Coordinates of all heavy atoms in Angstrom, one line a residue:
M1 N 108.1 -5.4 -125.3 CA 109.4 -5.7 -124.9 C 110.4 -5.3 -126.1 O 110.2 -5.7 -127.2 CB 109.5 -7.2 -124.6 CG 110.8 -7.7 -124.0 SD 110.9 -9.4 -123.5 CE 110.2 -9.3 -121.9
S2 N 111.4 -4.6 -125.8 CA 112.4 -4.2 -126.8 C 113.3 -5.4 -127.2 O 113.3 -6.4 -126.6 CB 113.3 -3.1 -126.3 OG 114.2 -3.6 -125.4
E3 N 114.0 -5.2 -128.3 CA 114.9 -6.2 -128.9 C 115.9 -6.6 -127.8 O 116.2 -7.7 -127.6 CB 115.6 -5.7 -130.1 CG 116.6 -6.7 -130.7 CD 117.4 -6.1 -131.9 OE1 117.1 -5.0 -132.3 OE2 118.3 -6.8 -132.3
V4 N 116.5 -5.6 -127.1 CA 117.5 -5.8 -126.1 C 116.9 -6.6 -124.9 O 117.5 -7.5 -124.4 CB 118.2 -4.5 -125.7 CG1 119.2 -4.8 -124.5 CG2 118.9 -3.9 -126.8
E5 N 115.7 -6.2 -124.5 CA 115.1 -6.9 -123.4 C 114.8 -8.3 -123.7 O 115.0 -9.2 -122.9 CB 113.8 -6.2 -122.9 CG 114.0 -4.8 -122.3 CD 112.7 -4.0 -122.2 OE1 111.8 -4.2 -123.0 OE2 112.7 -3.3 -121.2
L6 N 114.4 -8.6 -124.9 CA 114.1 -9.9 -125.4 C 115.4 -10.7 -125.5 O 115.5 -11.9 -125.0 CB 113.4 -9.9 -126.7 CG 112.9 -11.2 -127.3 CD1 111.9 -11.9 -126.3 CD2 112.2 -11.0 -128.6
A7 N 116.4 -10.1 -126.0 CA 117.7 -10.8 -126.1 C 118.3 -11.1 -124.7 O 118.8 -12.2 -124.5 CB 118.7 -9.9 -126.9
R8 N 118.1 -10.2 -123.8 CA 118.6 -10.4 -122.4 C 117.9 -11.6 -121.8 O 118.4 -12.5 -121.1 CB 118.5 -9.2 -121.6 CG 119.1 -9.3 -120.2 CD 119.0 -8.0 -119.4 NE 119.8 -6.9 -120.0 CZ 121.1 -6.7 -119.7 NH1 121.7 -7.6 -118.9 NH2 121.7 -5.7 -120.2
A9 N 116.6 -11.6 -122.0 CA 115.7 -12.7 -121.4 C 116.1 -14.1 -122.0 O 116.0 -15.1 -121.3 CB 114.3 -12.4 -121.7
R10 N 116.6 -14.1 -123.2 CA 116.9 -15.3 -123.9 C 118.4 -15.7 -123.8 O 118.8 -16.8 -124.3 CB 116.5 -15.2 -125.4 CG 115.0 -15.2 -125.6 CD 114.7 -15.1 -127.1 NE 113.3 -15.2 -127.3 CZ 112.7 -14.9 -128.4 NH1 113.4 -14.5 -129.5 NH2 111.4 -15.0 -128.5
L11 N 119.2 -14.9 -123.2 CA 120.6 -15.1 -123.2 C 121.1 -16.4 -122.7 O 121.8 -17.2 -123.3 CB 121.3 -14.0 -122.5 CG 122.8 -13.8 -122.7 CD1 123.1 -13.5 -124.2 CD2 123.3 -12.6 -121.9
R12 N 120.6 -16.8 -121.5 CA 121.0 -18.1 -121.0 C 120.5 -19.3 -121.9 O 121.2 -20.3 -122.0 CB 120.4 -18.3 -119.6 CG 121.4 -17.8 -118.6 CD 121.2 -18.4 -117.2 NE 122.0 -17.7 -116.3 CZ 123.1 -18.2 -115.8 NH1 123.6 -19.3 -116.2 NH2 123.9 -17.4 -115.0
W13 N 119.3 -19.2 -122.4 CA 118.8 -20.2 -123.3 C 119.7 -20.3 -124.5 O 120.0 -21.4 -125.0 CB 117.3 -19.9 -123.6 CG 116.7 -20.9 -124.6 CD1 116.2 -22.1 -124.3 CD2 116.6 -20.7 -126.0 NE1 115.8 -22.7 -125.4 CE2 116.0 -21.9 -126.5 CE3 116.9 -19.7 -126.9 CZ2 115.8 -22.1 -127.8 CZ3 116.7 -19.9 -128.2 CH2 116.1 -21.1 -128.7
R14 N 120.1 -19.2 -125.1 CA 120.9 -19.2 -126.3 C 122.3 -19.7 -126.0 O 123.0 -20.2 -126.9 CB 121.0 -17.8 -126.9 CG 119.8 -17.1 -127.3 CD 119.4 -17.1 -128.7 NE 120.4 -17.4 -129.7 CZ 120.7 -16.7 -130.7 NH1 120.1 -15.5 -130.9 NH2 121.5 -17.1 -131.6
A15 N 122.7 -19.6 -124.7 CA 124.1 -20.1 -124.3 C 124.1 -21.6 -124.2 O 125.2 -22.2 -124.2 CB 124.5 -19.5 -123.0
R16 N 122.9 -22.2 -124.2 CA 122.9 -23.7 -124.1 C 123.3 -24.2 -125.5 O 122.6 -23.9 -126.5 CB 121.5 -24.2 -123.7 CG 121.2 -23.8 -122.3 CD 120.0 -24.5 -121.8 NE 120.1 -25.9 -122.1 CZ 119.8 -26.8 -121.2 NH1 119.3 -26.5 -120.1 NH2 120.0 -28.1 -121.5
R17 N 124.3 -25.0 -125.6 CA 124.8 -25.4 -126.9 C 124.8 -26.9 -127.0 O 124.6 -27.6 -126.0 CB 126.3 -24.9 -127.0 CG 126.5 -23.4 -126.7 CD 125.7 -22.5 -127.7 NE 126.1 -22.8 -129.0 CZ 126.1 -21.9 -130.0 NH1 125.6 -20.7 -129.8 NH2 126.5 -22.2 -131.2
G18 N 125.1 -27.4 -128.2 CA 125.2 -28.8 -128.5 C 126.5 -29.5 -127.9 O 126.5 -30.7 -127.7
L19 N 127.5 -28.7 -127.7 CA 128.7 -29.2 -127.1 C 128.8 -28.9 -125.6 O 128.6 -27.7 -125.2 CB 130.0 -28.6 -127.8 CG 130.2 -29.0 -129.2 CD1 131.4 -28.3 -129.8 CD2 130.5 -30.5 -129.3
L20 N 129.0 -29.9 -124.8 CA 129.0 -29.7 -123.3 C 130.1 -28.7 -122.9 O 129.8 -27.9 -122.0 CB 129.3 -31.0 -122.6 CG 129.4 -31.0 -121.1 CD1 128.1 -30.5 -120.5 CD2 129.8 -32.4 -120.6
E21 N 131.2 -28.7 -123.6 CA 132.3 -27.7 -123.3 C 131.8 -26.3 -123.4 O 132.1 -25.5 -122.5 CB 133.5 -28.0 -124.2 CG 134.2 -29.3 -124.0 CD 133.6 -30.4 -124.9 OE1 132.5 -30.2 -125.4 OE2 134.2 -31.4 -125.0
N22 N 131.1 -26.0 -124.5 CA 130.5 -24.6 -124.7 C 129.5 -24.3 -123.5 O 129.6 -23.2 -123.0 CB 129.8 -24.5 -126.0 CG 130.8 -24.3 -127.2 OD1 131.9 -23.9 -127.0 ND2 130.3 -24.6 -128.4
D23 N 128.7 -25.3 -123.2 CA 127.7 -25.1 -122.1 C 128.4 -24.7 -120.8 O 128.0 -23.8 -120.2 CB 126.9 -26.3 -121.9 CG 125.8 -26.6 -122.9 OD1 125.5 -25.7 -123.7 OD2 125.1 -27.6 -122.8
L24 N 129.4 -25.5 -120.5 CA 130.1 -25.2 -119.2 C 130.8 -23.9 -119.2 O 130.7 -23.1 -118.2 CB 131.1 -26.3 -119.0 CG 130.5 -27.7 -118.8 CD1 131.6 -28.8 -118.7 CD2 129.6 -27.8 -117.5
I25 N 131.5 -23.5 -120.3 CA 132.2 -22.3 -120.4 C 131.3 -21.1 -120.3 O 131.5 -20.1 -119.5 CB 133.1 -22.2 -121.7 CG1 134.2 -23.2 -121.6 CG2 133.6 -20.8 -121.9 CD1 134.9 -23.5 -122.9
L26 N 130.2 -21.1 -121.1 CA 129.3 -20.0 -121.1 C 128.4 -19.9 -119.9 O 128.2 -18.8 -119.4 CB 128.4 -20.1 -122.4 CG 129.1 -20.0 -123.7 CD1 128.2 -20.4 -124.9 CD2 129.8 -18.7 -123.9
T27 N 128.0 -21.0 -119.3 CA 127.3 -21.0 -118.0 C 128.1 -20.4 -116.9 O 127.6 -19.5 -116.1 CB 126.8 -22.4 -117.6 OG1 125.9 -22.8 -118.7 CG2 126.0 -22.3 -116.3
N28 N 129.4 -20.8 -116.8 CA 130.3 -20.2 -115.8 C 130.4 -18.7 -116.0 O 130.3 -17.9 -115.1 CB 131.6 -20.9 -115.9 CG 132.5 -20.5 -114.8 OD1 132.1 -20.5 -113.6 ND2 133.8 -20.1 -115.1
F29 N 130.6 -18.3 -117.3 CA 130.7 -16.8 -117.6 C 129.5 -16.1 -117.1 O 129.5 -15.0 -116.5 CB 131.0 -16.6 -119.1 CG 130.8 -15.2 -119.5 CD1 131.8 -14.3 -119.2 CD2 129.7 -14.8 -120.2 CE1 131.7 -12.9 -119.6 CE2 129.6 -13.4 -120.6 CZ 130.6 -12.5 -120.3
L30 N 128.3 -16.6 -117.5 CA 127.0 -15.9 -117.2 C 126.8 -15.9 -115.7 O 126.3 -14.9 -115.1 CB 125.9 -16.6 -117.9 CG 125.8 -16.3 -119.4 CD1 124.7 -17.1 -120.1 CD2 125.7 -14.8 -119.7
D31 N 127.2 -17.0 -115.0 CA 127.1 -17.0 -113.5 C 127.8 -15.8 -112.9 O 127.4 -15.2 -111.9 CB 127.6 -18.3 -112.9 CG 126.6 -19.5 -113.2 OD1 125.5 -19.3 -113.6 OD2 127.1 -20.6 -113.0
L32 N 129.0 -15.5 -113.5 CA 129.9 -14.5 -112.9 C 129.5 -13.1 -113.4 O 129.6 -12.1 -112.6 CB 131.3 -14.7 -113.3 CG 132.0 -16.0 -112.7 CD1 133.3 -16.2 -113.4 CD2 132.1 -15.8 -111.2
Y33 N 129.0 -12.9 -114.6 CA 128.9 -11.6 -115.2 C 127.5 -11.2 -115.7 O 127.3 -10.0 -116.1 CB 129.9 -11.5 -116.4 CG 131.3 -11.5 -116.0 CD1 132.1 -12.6 -116.2 CD2 131.9 -10.4 -115.5 CE1 133.4 -12.7 -115.9 CE2 133.3 -10.4 -115.1 CZ 134.0 -11.6 -115.3 OH 135.3 -11.6 -115.0
E34 N 126.5 -12.1 -115.7 CA 125.3 -11.8 -116.3 C 124.6 -10.5 -115.8 O 124.1 -9.7 -116.6 CB 124.3 -12.9 -116.1 CG 123.0 -12.8 -116.9 CD 122.1 -14.0 -116.8 OE1 122.3 -14.9 -115.9 OE2 121.2 -14.1 -117.6
E35 N 124.6 -10.2 -114.6 CA 124.0 -9.0 -114.0 C 124.7 -7.8 -114.4 O 124.2 -6.7 -114.3 CB 124.0 -9.1 -112.5 CG 123.1 -10.3 -112.0 CD 121.7 -10.2 -112.4 OE1 121.1 -9.1 -112.4 OE2 121.1 -11.2 -112.7
Q36 N 126.0 -7.9 -114.8 CA 126.8 -6.7 -115.2 C 126.8 -6.4 -116.6 O 127.4 -5.4 -117.1 CB 128.2 -6.9 -114.7 CG 128.4 -7.2 -113.2 CD 129.8 -7.7 -112.9 OE1 130.8 -7.3 -113.5 NE2 129.9 -8.6 -112.0
L37 N 126.2 -7.2 -117.5 CA 126.2 -7.0 -118.9 C 125.4 -5.8 -119.3 O 124.2 -5.7 -118.9 CB 125.7 -8.3 -119.6 CG 126.5 -9.6 -119.4 CD1 125.8 -10.7 -120.1 CD2 127.9 -9.4 -120.0
S38 N 126.0 -5.0 -120.2 CA 125.3 -3.9 -120.8 C 124.4 -4.4 -121.9 O 124.5 -5.5 -122.3 CB 126.3 -2.8 -121.3 OG 126.9 -3.4 -122.5
D39 N 123.5 -3.5 -122.4 CA 122.7 -3.9 -123.5 C 123.5 -4.2 -124.7 O 123.3 -5.2 -125.5 CB 121.7 -2.7 -123.9 CG 120.7 -2.5 -122.8 OD1 120.5 -3.3 -121.9 OD2 120.0 -1.5 -122.9
E40 N 124.6 -3.4 -124.9 CA 125.5 -3.7 -126.0 C 126.2 -5.1 -125.9 O 126.3 -5.8 -126.8 CB 126.6 -2.7 -126.1 CG 127.6 -2.9 -127.3 CD 128.7 -1.9 -127.4 OE1 128.8 -1.0 -126.5 OE2 129.5 -2.0 -128.3
D41 N 126.5 -5.5 -124.6 CA 127.1 -6.8 -124.4 C 126.1 -7.9 -124.7 O 126.5 -8.9 -125.3 CB 127.5 -6.9 -122.9 CG 128.6 -6.0 -122.5 OD1 129.4 -5.5 -123.3 OD2 128.7 -5.8 -121.2
V42 N 124.9 -7.7 -124.3 CA 123.9 -8.7 -124.6 C 123.7 -8.9 -126.1 O 123.7 -10.1 -126.6 CB 122.5 -8.3 -124.0 CG1 121.4 -9.2 -124.4 CG2 122.6 -8.4 -122.4
L43 N 123.6 -7.8 -126.9 CA 123.5 -7.9 -128.3 C 124.7 -8.6 -128.9 O 124.6 -9.4 -129.9 CB 123.2 -6.6 -128.9 CG 121.8 -6.0 -128.6 CD1 121.7 -4.6 -129.1 CD2 120.7 -6.9 -129.0
S44 N 125.9 -8.2 -128.4 CA 127.2 -8.8 -128.9 C 127.2 -10.3 -128.7 O 127.6 -11.1 -129.5 CB 128.4 -8.1 -128.3 OG 128.5 -6.8 -128.7
L45 N 126.8 -10.7 -127.5 CA 126.8 -12.1 -127.1 C 125.8 -12.9 -128.0 O 126.1 -14.0 -128.5 CB 126.6 -12.4 -125.7 CG 127.7 -12.0 -124.7 CD1 127.2 -12.0 -123.3 CD2 128.9 -13.0 -124.9
T46 N 124.6 -12.3 -128.2 CA 123.6 -12.9 -129.0 C 124.1 -13.1 -130.4 O 123.9 -14.2 -131.0 CB 122.3 -12.0 -129.0 OG1 121.9 -11.9 -127.7 CG2 121.3 -12.6 -129.9
H47 N 124.9 -12.2 -130.9 CA 125.5 -12.3 -132.3 C 126.6 -13.4 -132.2 O 126.6 -14.3 -133.1 CB 126.1 -11.0 -132.7 CG 126.7 -11.0 -134.1 ND1 126.0 -11.4 -135.2 CD2 127.9 -10.7 -134.5 CE1 126.8 -11.4 -136.2 NE2 128.0 -11.0 -135.9
L48 N 127.4 -13.4 -131.2 CA 128.5 -14.4 -131.1 C 127.9 -15.8 -131.1 O 128.4 -16.8 -131.6 CB 129.3 -14.1 -129.9 CG 130.5 -15.0 -129.6 CD1 131.6 -14.9 -130.7 CD2 131.1 -14.8 -128.3
F49 N 126.7 -16.0 -130.4 CA 126.1 -17.3 -130.2 C 125.5 -17.8 -131.5 O 125.0 -18.9 -131.6 CB 125.0 -17.2 -129.1 CG 125.6 -17.0 -127.7 CD1 124.7 -16.8 -126.7 CD2 127.0 -17.1 -127.5 CE1 125.2 -16.6 -125.4 CE2 127.5 -16.9 -126.2 CZ 126.6 -16.6 -125.2
T50 N 125.5 -17.0 -132.6 CA 125.0 -17.5 -133.9 C 126.1 -18.4 -134.6 O 125.7 -19.0 -135.6 CB 124.6 -16.3 -134.8 OG1 125.7 -15.5 -135.2 CG2 123.5 -15.5 -134.2
L51 N 127.3 -18.4 -134.1 CA 128.3 -19.2 -134.6 C 128.0 -20.7 -134.4 O 127.3 -21.0 -133.4 CB 129.7 -19.0 -134.0 CG 130.4 -17.7 -134.4 CD1 131.6 -17.4 -133.5 CD2 130.9 -17.7 -135.8
D52 N 128.4 -21.6 -135.2 CA 128.2 -23.0 -134.9 C 129.1 -23.4 -133.7 O 130.0 -22.7 -133.4 CB 128.4 -23.9 -136.2 CG 129.8 -24.1 -136.6 OD1 130.7 -24.3 -135.7 OD2 130.0 -24.2 -137.8
D53 N 128.7 -24.5 -133.1 CA 129.3 -25.0 -131.9 C 130.9 -25.1 -132.0 O 131.6 -24.7 -131.1 CB 128.8 -26.3 -131.4 CG 127.4 -26.1 -130.8 OD1 127.1 -25.0 -130.3 OD2 126.6 -27.1 -130.9
N54 N 131.3 -25.7 -133.1 CA 132.8 -25.9 -133.2 C 133.5 -24.6 -133.4 O 134.6 -24.4 -132.8 CB 133.1 -26.9 -134.3 CG 132.6 -28.3 -134.0 OD1 132.8 -28.8 -132.9 ND2 132.0 -29.0 -135.0
Q55 N 133.0 -23.7 -134.2 CA 133.6 -22.4 -134.4 C 133.7 -21.6 -133.0 O 134.7 -21.0 -132.7 CB 132.8 -21.5 -135.4 CG 133.0 -22.0 -136.8 CD 132.1 -21.2 -137.7 OE1 130.9 -21.0 -137.4 NE2 132.6 -20.8 -138.9
L56 N 132.5 -21.7 -132.3 CA 132.5 -21.0 -131.0 C 133.5 -21.6 -130.0 O 134.2 -20.8 -129.4 CB 131.1 -21.0 -130.5 CG 130.8 -20.3 -129.2 CD1 131.2 -18.8 -129.3 CD2 129.4 -20.5 -128.7
L57 N 133.6 -22.9 -130.0 CA 134.5 -23.5 -129.1 C 135.9 -23.1 -129.4 O 136.7 -22.8 -128.5 CB 134.3 -25.0 -129.1 CG 135.2 -25.8 -128.0 CD1 134.8 -25.4 -126.6 CD2 135.0 -27.3 -128.2
D58 N 136.3 -23.1 -130.6 CA 137.6 -22.7 -131.0 C 138.0 -21.3 -130.5 O 139.1 -21.0 -130.1 CB 137.8 -22.8 -132.5 CG 138.0 -24.2 -133.0 OD1 138.2 -25.1 -132.2 OD2 137.9 -24.4 -134.3
I59 N 137.0 -20.4 -130.6 CA 137.2 -19.0 -130.2 C 137.3 -19.0 -128.6 O 138.2 -18.4 -128.1 CB 136.1 -18.1 -130.7 CG1 136.2 -17.9 -132.2 CG2 136.1 -16.8 -129.9 CD1 135.1 -17.2 -132.9
L60 N 136.4 -19.7 -128.0 CA 136.4 -19.7 -126.5 C 137.6 -20.3 -125.9 O 138.1 -19.8 -124.9 CB 135.1 -20.4 -126.0 CG 133.8 -19.8 -126.3 CD1 132.7 -20.6 -125.7 CD2 133.7 -18.3 -126.0
L61 N 138.2 -21.3 -126.6 CA 139.4 -21.9 -126.1 C 140.7 -21.2 -126.6 O 141.8 -21.6 -126.2 CB 139.5 -23.4 -126.6 CG 138.4 -24.3 -126.0 CD1 138.6 -25.7 -126.6 CD2 138.5 -24.4 -124.5
G62 N 140.6 -20.1 -127.4 CA 141.7 -19.4 -127.9 C 142.4 -20.0 -129.0 O 143.5 -19.5 -129.4
K63 N 141.8 -21.0 -129.7 CA 142.5 -21.6 -130.9 C 142.3 -20.7 -132.1 O 143.1 -20.7 -133.0 CB 141.8 -22.9 -131.2 CG 142.1 -24.0 -130.1 CD 141.4 -25.3 -130.5 CE 141.7 -26.3 -129.4 NZ 141.1 -27.6 -129.8
K64 N 141.3 -19.8 -132.1 CA 141.0 -18.9 -133.1 C 140.5 -17.6 -132.5 O 140.1 -17.6 -131.3 CB 140.0 -19.4 -134.1 CG 140.4 -20.6 -134.9 CD 139.4 -20.9 -135.9 CE 139.9 -22.1 -136.8 NZ 138.9 -22.4 -137.8
E65 N 140.6 -16.5 -133.2 CA 140.1 -15.2 -132.8 C 138.8 -14.9 -133.6 O 138.7 -15.4 -134.8 CB 141.1 -14.1 -133.0 CG 142.3 -14.3 -132.1 CD 142.0 -14.3 -130.6 OE1 141.1 -13.5 -130.2 OE2 142.6 -15.0 -129.9
P66 N 137.9 -14.1 -133.1 CA 136.7 -13.8 -133.9 C 137.1 -13.1 -135.2 O 138.1 -12.3 -135.2 CB 136.0 -12.8 -133.0 CG 136.5 -13.1 -131.6 CD 137.9 -13.5 -131.8
E67 N 136.4 -13.4 -136.3 CA 136.8 -12.9 -137.6 C 135.5 -12.3 -138.2 O 134.4 -12.5 -137.8 CB 137.3 -14.0 -138.5 CG 138.5 -14.7 -138.1 CD 138.9 -15.9 -138.9 OE1 138.1 -16.4 -139.7 OE2 140.1 -16.3 -138.9
G68 N 135.8 -11.5 -139.3 CA 134.7 -10.8 -140.0 C 133.8 -10.0 -139.1 O 134.3 -9.2 -138.3
D69 N 132.5 -10.1 -139.3 CA 131.6 -9.3 -138.5 C 131.5 -9.6 -137.0 O 130.9 -9.0 -136.2 CB 130.2 -9.2 -139.1 CG 129.5 -10.5 -139.2 OD1 130.1 -11.6 -139.1 OD2 128.2 -10.5 -139.3
Y70 N 132.2 -10.7 -136.6 CA 132.4 -11.1 -135.2 C 133.6 -10.4 -134.6 O 133.7 -10.5 -133.4 CB 132.5 -12.6 -135.1 CG 131.3 -13.4 -135.6 CD1 131.3 -13.9 -136.8 CD2 130.2 -13.5 -134.8 CE1 130.2 -14.6 -137.3 CE2 129.0 -14.2 -135.2 CZ 129.1 -14.7 -136.5 OH 127.9 -15.4 -137.0
H71 N 134.4 -9.8 -135.4 CA 135.6 -9.1 -134.9 C 135.3 -7.7 -134.6 O 135.6 -6.8 -135.4 CB 136.8 -9.3 -135.8 CG 138.1 -8.8 -135.2 ND1 138.5 -7.5 -135.4 CD2 138.9 -9.4 -134.4 CE1 139.7 -7.4 -134.7 NE2 139.9 -8.6 -134.1
T72 N 134.6 -7.4 -133.4 CA 134.4 -6.1 -133.0 C 135.1 -5.9 -131.7 O 135.4 -6.9 -131.0 CB 132.9 -5.8 -132.8 OG1 132.4 -6.6 -131.7 CG2 132.1 -6.1 -134.0
D73 N 135.3 -4.7 -131.3 CA 136.0 -4.4 -130.0 C 135.2 -5.0 -128.8 O 135.8 -5.6 -127.9 CB 136.1 -2.9 -129.7 CG 137.1 -2.2 -130.7 OD1 137.9 -2.9 -131.2 OD2 137.1 -1.0 -130.8
N74 N 133.9 -4.9 -128.9 CA 133.1 -5.4 -127.8 C 133.1 -7.0 -127.7 O 133.2 -7.6 -126.7 CB 131.6 -4.9 -127.8 CG 131.0 -5.0 -126.5 OD1 131.6 -4.6 -125.5 ND2 129.8 -5.5 -126.4
I75 N 132.9 -7.6 -128.9 CA 133.0 -9.1 -128.9 C 134.4 -9.6 -128.4 O 134.5 -10.5 -127.6 CB 132.6 -9.6 -130.3 CG1 131.1 -9.5 -130.5 CG2 133.0 -11.1 -130.4 CD1 130.6 -10.0 -131.9
C76 N 135.4 -8.9 -128.9 CA 136.8 -9.3 -128.5 C 136.9 -9.2 -127.0 O 137.5 -10.0 -126.3 CB 137.8 -8.6 -129.2 SG 137.9 -9.0 -131.0
R77 N 136.4 -8.1 -126.4 CA 136.5 -7.9 -125.0 C 135.7 -8.9 -124.2 O 136.2 -9.5 -123.2 CB 135.9 -6.5 -124.6 CG 136.0 -6.1 -123.1 CD 135.3 -4.8 -122.8 NE 133.9 -4.8 -123.2 CZ 132.9 -5.3 -122.4 NH1 133.2 -5.9 -121.3 NH2 131.7 -5.3 -122.8
L78 N 134.5 -9.3 -124.7 CA 133.7 -10.3 -124.1 C 134.4 -11.7 -124.2 O 134.3 -12.4 -123.2 CB 132.3 -10.3 -124.7 CG 131.4 -9.1 -124.3 CD1 130.2 -9.1 -125.2 CD2 131.0 -9.2 -122.9
V79 N 134.9 -12.0 -125.3 CA 135.6 -13.3 -125.5 C 136.8 -13.3 -124.5 O 137.0 -14.4 -123.8 CB 136.1 -13.4 -126.9 CG1 137.2 -14.6 -127.0 CG2 135.0 -13.7 -127.9
H80 N 137.5 -12.3 -124.3 CA 138.6 -12.2 -123.3 C 138.0 -12.5 -121.9 O 138.6 -13.3 -121.1 CB 139.3 -10.9 -123.3 CG 140.4 -10.7 -122.3 ND1 141.6 -11.4 -122.5 CD2 140.5 -10.0 -121.2 CE1 142.4 -11.1 -121.4 NE2 141.7 -10.3 -120.6
L81 N 136.9 -11.9 -121.5 CA 136.3 -12.2 -120.2 C 135.9 -13.6 -120.1 O 136.0 -14.2 -119.0 CB 135.1 -11.2 -120.0 CG 135.3 -9.8 -119.6 CD1 134.0 -9.1 -119.6 CD2 136.1 -9.7 -118.3
I82 N 135.3 -14.2 -121.1 CA 134.8 -15.5 -121.1 C 136.0 -16.5 -120.9 O 135.9 -17.4 -120.1 CB 134.1 -15.9 -122.4 CG1 132.7 -15.1 -122.5 CG2 133.8 -17.4 -122.5 CD1 132.1 -15.2 -123.9
R83 N 137.1 -16.2 -121.6 CA 138.3 -17.1 -121.4 C 138.8 -17.0 -120.0 O 139.4 -18.0 -119.6 CB 139.4 -16.6 -122.5 CG 139.0 -17.0 -123.9 CD 140.1 -16.4 -124.8 NE 139.7 -16.7 -126.2 CZ 140.3 -16.1 -127.3 NH1 141.3 -15.2 -127.0 NH2 140.0 -16.4 -128.5
K84 N 138.7 -15.9 -119.4 CA 139.2 -15.7 -118.0 C 138.3 -16.4 -117.0 O 138.7 -16.7 -115.9 CB 139.4 -14.2 -117.7 CG 140.6 -13.6 -118.3 CD 140.8 -12.2 -118.0 CE 140.1 -11.7 -116.8 NZ 140.4 -10.3 -116.4
A85 N 137.0 -16.5 -117.3 CA 136.0 -16.9 -116.3 C 136.2 -18.4 -115.9 O 136.8 -19.2 -116.5 CB 134.6 -16.7 -116.9

């Protein structure tokens, strides 16, 4: 199994977070878009999910924007989709 296949298989599990708000937002997004995600999207989301719960929630709610190595075109596009979901 390739790295991307493994990441795709674990995506929903990785989306389960300690904060209920994150769980609800990410589950709703995956319900809508999971089948359409490219390999690059899966790897970008896997990277985004390495943030701690409070940092991730601030980004998902639009209180902050992704910074540093989280500020890529693809992550920003996905965050925009998550916020709309």
Side-chain angles (χ1 to χ4, degrees):
M1 187 176 273
S2 74
E3 176 187 354
V4 174
E5 290 170 330
L6 187 58
R8 186 177 293 277
R10 293 181 174 168
L11 196 58
R12 271 203 189 258
W13 178 80
R14 300 259 347 233
R16 294 190 54 134
R17 309 299 298 208
L19 291 176
L20 178 61
E21 295 87 345
N22 283 340
D23 281 352
L24 295 173
I25 293 167
L26 295 173
T27 299
N28 188 50
F29 169 76
L30 290 173
D31 287 347
L32 294 171
Y33 294 103
E34 185 173 17
E35 297 298 321
Q36 302 166 36
L37 296 174
S38 69
D39 290 350
E40 182 184 0
D41 294 340
V42 170
L43 294 176
S44 293
L45 286 170
T46 299
H47 182 56
L48 184 65
F49 293 170
T50 63
L51 288 168
D52 74 39
D53 286 330
N54 291 319
Q55 290 174 315
L56 181 58
L57 184 60
D58 284 347
I59 289 171
L60 298 181
L61 294 178
K63 294 180 180 180
K64 292 186 177 179
E65 295 300 321
E67 299 175 342
D69 63 339
Y70 297 97
H71 190 266
T72 66
D73 290 342
N74 201 48
I75 287 178
C76 291
R77 182 184 61 81
L78 289 166
V79 165
H80 179 72
L81 281 176
I82 293 168
R83 289 175 181 168
K84 286 181 18 180

